[in-house]
Amino acid sequence: MAQSSGLAVLAVCFLARVATGLELSVNDHTADFSLSTSPDRSISLSCLVQNSSQDEELLWYRGDGQVNLKDGNKVNISNVCISPVTVSDNGVTFTCRLARDRSVKVSVTLDVQFRPQLSGEESLQVEEDKDVTLSCNSKSNPQAQATWYKNNSILTLEQSRYKLYQTSEVFQLQITKAQKSDNGTYTCVLQSQWGEDRKDFHLTVEDKRPVFPKEAIIAAVVVIALTILFGIVARKDKIFKCFKRSNETAL
């Protein structure tokens, strides 16, 4: 019986909303939408109650968190300002809801467009036969096209030793068991709607350092320690005589 009453209330609310045509709009949009912008700009979102016969309280959410609105900015019309827009705002959704019926809502998702932050150069040294990874920040929106160059020519990938790794934020070249032939300048080039961004990596492959086995080092230390110990034992009589003389009292 209680469940039937709840369903009846919901039905009445739904019918009342349909009958009055009550709805919300954000920046003249009555349905969810995406808003393109760029960093360092300011944008204003205005939520308006339409076709209501009474005052309506509005709520704003940033993602899942409720925005703290000032008095006078809650009834029938409510505005929020994002200033300045940052890269971290990309993909964030702002939602305006009707306080008494939060299913009545309009959401706007920010599409913050920005170029890759890539420039300068870096010098790297790696020992021969060791692995090395060249990494450049490729984060941008929309995502840039990435290419690796070596000494100003498109890098020919050796399947057995060169590996590429790319996400929405990083573009990497991994060289396995570096050889002297890998010496040179590697360039990460990102092509986007803003143009071309690049970063140079000057790679030097150094000679392999001699490796001493741990067992040999340990054995040498033991031999030296025993030699010193045997030397002390062999000269103990002289050492004790010297010690005794140093403790004699002169008359």
Side-chain angles (χ1 to χ4, degrees):
M1 182 67 178
Q3 184 177 2
S4 299
S5 298
L7 293 174
V9 171
L10 290 174
V12 169
C13 291
F14 176 76
L15 292 173
R17 193 196 312 167
V18 172
T20 59
L22 175 63
E23 62 182 3
L24 303 181
S25 66
V26 173
N27 291 14
D28 297 325
H29 292 265
T30 57
D32 297 347
F33 67 103
S34 176
L35 179 61
S36 294
T37 184
S38 57
D40 298 324
R41 294 186 61 184
S42 296
I43 59 173
S44 180
L45 303 177
S46 180
C47 183
L48 177 66
V49 179
Q50 297 181 342
N51 303 322
S52 176
S53 59
Q54 65 184 49
D55 288 341
E56 299 285 358
E57 182 181 355
L58 296 171
L59 306 173
W60 273 104
Y61 289 82
R62 185 186 192 276
D64 295 328
Q66 187 172 344
V67 177
N68 185 22
L69 299 174
K70 294 181 179 180
D71 293 337
N73 188 29
K74 300 179 180 180
V75 180
N76 294 335
I77 185 170
S78 181
N79 301 288
V80 294
C81 182
I82 301 95
S83 180
V85 173
T86 67
V87 169
S88 61
D89 291 319
N90 184 47
V92 173
T93 298
F94 289 83
T95 303
C96 179
R97 296 178 183 269
L98 195 66
R100 67 180 176 89
D101 184 358
R102 300 187 186 187
S103 65
V104 181
K105 63 184 178 64
V106 177
S107 296
V108 51
T109 302
L110 299 187
D111 176 27
V112 184
Q113 300 189 353
F114 56 95
R115 75 181 300 161
Q117 301 299 309
L118 186 68
S119 62
E121 57 186 59
E122 183 177 339
S123 295
L124 298 171
Q125 294 79 38
V126 63
E127 185 181 337
E128 194 173 9
D129 282 340
K130 297 289 186 180
D131 298 345
V132 62
T133 299
L134 314 182
S135 180
C136 60
N137 175 20
S138 61
K139 185 176 181 179
S140 64
N141 182 37
Q143 188 169 347
Q145 292 184 334
T147 308
W148 279 101
Y149 287 77
K150 180 182 179 184
N151 298 330
N152 296 319
S153 298
I154 293 180
L155 181 64
T156 301
L157 298 181
E158 296 181 25
Q159 188 174 4
S160 59
R161 294 199 307 114
Y162 290 175
K163 293 181 181 179
L164 295 180
Y165 175 75
Q166 184 173 12
T167 68
S168 60
E169 297 192 2
V170 69
F171 183 46
Q172 293 181 332
L173 169 65
Q174 184 180 63
I175 302 175
T176 304
K177 294 185 177 180
Q179 305 298 318
K180 290 289 187 178
S181 59
D182 294 321
N183 279 322
T185 298
Y186 295 78
T187 305
C188 171
V189 177
L190 302 178
Q191 191 74 37
S192 66
Q193 63 188 41
W194 292 278
E196 186 178 276
D197 295 272
R198 59 174 56 214
K199 180 176 180 179
D200 290 332
F201 297 83
H202 305 293
L203 179 65
T204 301
V205 181
E206 300 176 337
D207 292 334
K208 186 186 299 186
R209 299 183 184 92
V211 179
F212 296 99
K214 291 182 180 179
E215 294 80 1
I217 296 175
I218 294 172
V221 171
V222 171
V223 169
I224 294 172
L226 290 175
T227 301
I228 294 173
L229 180 61
F230 291 150
I232 293 173
V233 171
R235 302 183 62 189
K236 67 178 181 177
D237 292 338
K238 292 184 179 180
I239 294 173
F240 287 154
K241 287 179 181 179
C242 291
F243 179 76
K244 184 176 180 181
R245 289 197 192 101
S246 66
N247 284 282
E248 291 176 350
T249 302
L251 299 177

